[in-house]
Amino acid sequence: MDAYRAEGWADFAVAVAGAGAALAGLLFVALSINLERILAGRRLPARAAHTLVLLATPLVVALVLLVPGQSERALGIELVAVGATTGLLLAALNHPGRRAPQQPLTWWLIAEALPAVALSGTTIVAGAGLLTTSLSGLYWLVAGIVVAFVGALLNAWVLLVEILR
């Protein structure tokens, strides 16, 4: 598989798109089960939106990877734009001042800050890698997407189970 050619990444993109869509659907089910409690919490609606972005961004990245016939330059620009937009959105939803007082800082860093930085940062680096044919290109997407999915699953667990404790 070539780090700088999108054609070799089609199977990966299909898997990510399917996983992202399925997990986002399950998140909506979890949110609907505890909707009143989530809406009653000061921080929980932003956490739910943050989790949805962690699942939707890999889906968007996968769909962009699957566009046939586009140049690597165009894909690089698209990935940088998606990564930058994701970073700004997640920063707005998840800045440290919005952390719940009862949430330990370590947990906030692991479940919210790390996935946000990893996803947006690796998407930008992958796009820049395509534009410059350096930085290991698309291989950065794997790490960012895995960390985003793990972070989203941790947050979904909190929104589904921990909220009831």
Side-chain angles (χ1 to χ4, degrees):
M1 187 178 326
D2 189 352
Y4 307 104
R5 299 180 51 89
E7 299 88 37
W9 289 80
D11 290 341
F12 173 76
V14 169
V16 168
L23 291 171
L26 291 173
L27 176 65
F28 277 107
V29 171
L31 295 177
S32 67
I33 290 171
N34 290 323
L35 187 59
E36 287 182 33
R37 287 180 189 253
I38 291 168
L39 292 177
R42 181 175 116 354
R43 168 73 181 109
L44 292 174
R47 188 171 193 165
H50 175 263
T51 306
L52 184 59
V53 171
L54 287 178
L55 295 172
T57 299
L59 176 61
V60 171
V61 167
L63 295 176
V64 167
L65 269 172
L66 288 170
V67 173
Q70 70 178 329
S71 70
E72 275 68 30
R73 179 167 173 70
L75 178 59
I77 292 168
E78 291 166 357
L79 290 175
V80 169
V82 169
T85 303
T86 298
L88 292 172
L89 185 56
L90 290 173
L93 290 169
N94 194 35
H95 59 79
R98 296 187 110 168
R99 181 176 62 90
Q102 66 272 19
Q103 183 183 31
L105 180 60
T106 305
W107 181 254
W108 177 82
L109 287 169
I110 291 170
E112 297 184 53
L114 175 64
V117 171
L119 180 59
S120 58
T122 58
T123 304
I124 291 170
V125 171
L130 285 180
L131 294 172
T132 62
T133 61
S134 63
L135 305 170
S136 299
L138 294 172
Y139 284 111
W140 284 96
L141 293 177
V142 177
I145 289 171
V146 168
V147 171
F149 280 170
V150 170
L153 290 171
L154 289 172
N155 283 331
W157 177 261
V158 169
L159 293 167
L160 181 62
V161 176
E162 295 297 323
I163 195 172
L164 298 174
R165 290 182 189 219

